Amino acid sequence: MSEPTIGDVIAAVLGLRLPAVSELDGRIISAKALAAQLADLTGLAADDAYSSLCYVPDNFLPLLDSPQGWTALACVVAADCGVPEPALRPTLH
């Protein structure tokens, strides 16, 4: 059997299907990223910020889906942890 060509390798990679990220997984990723940003802005430990996010009411979870929601959640976490509200202004890239 001969060695695969670069074209064969590229075709194989392009043919891969990556698993879709579920809505829950996406929100967990968002919550961890938000917690990391809050840690940088407020001096909180990222784990403390994430823990606070884990206890927000269920109807707040859709706020993880938008930049405006991140700003609102940052204020909720700051109030919960007793730190000043951060100047968080996330953008989409």
Side-chain angles (χ1 to χ4, degrees):
M1 187 168 170
S2 64
E3 293 282 325
T5 65
I6 189 69
D8 295 334
V9 172
I10 292 172
V13 170
L14 292 176
L16 291 178
R17 297 220 188 273
L18 297 177
V21 175
S22 72
E23 184 176 354
L24 176 61
D25 289 340
R27 287 188 175 158
I28 291 170
I29 293 167
S30 291
K32 288 182 179 183
L34 175 56
Q37 286 190 16
L38 288 173
D40 290 341
L41 291 171
T42 63
L44 284 172
D47 290 341
D48 292 340
Y50 183 74
S51 179
S52 179
L53 284 168
C54 289
Y55 289 99
V56 299
D58 287 347
N59 61 337
F60 282 28
L61 293 178
L63 294 173
L64 287 167
D65 300 338
S66 70
Q68 297 84 1
W70 277 37
T71 301
L73 285 171
C75 294
V76 170
V77 170
D80 183 48
C81 295
V83 297
E85 289 183 9
L88 180 68
R89 302 292 180 259
T91 58
L92 297 176
H93 297 280

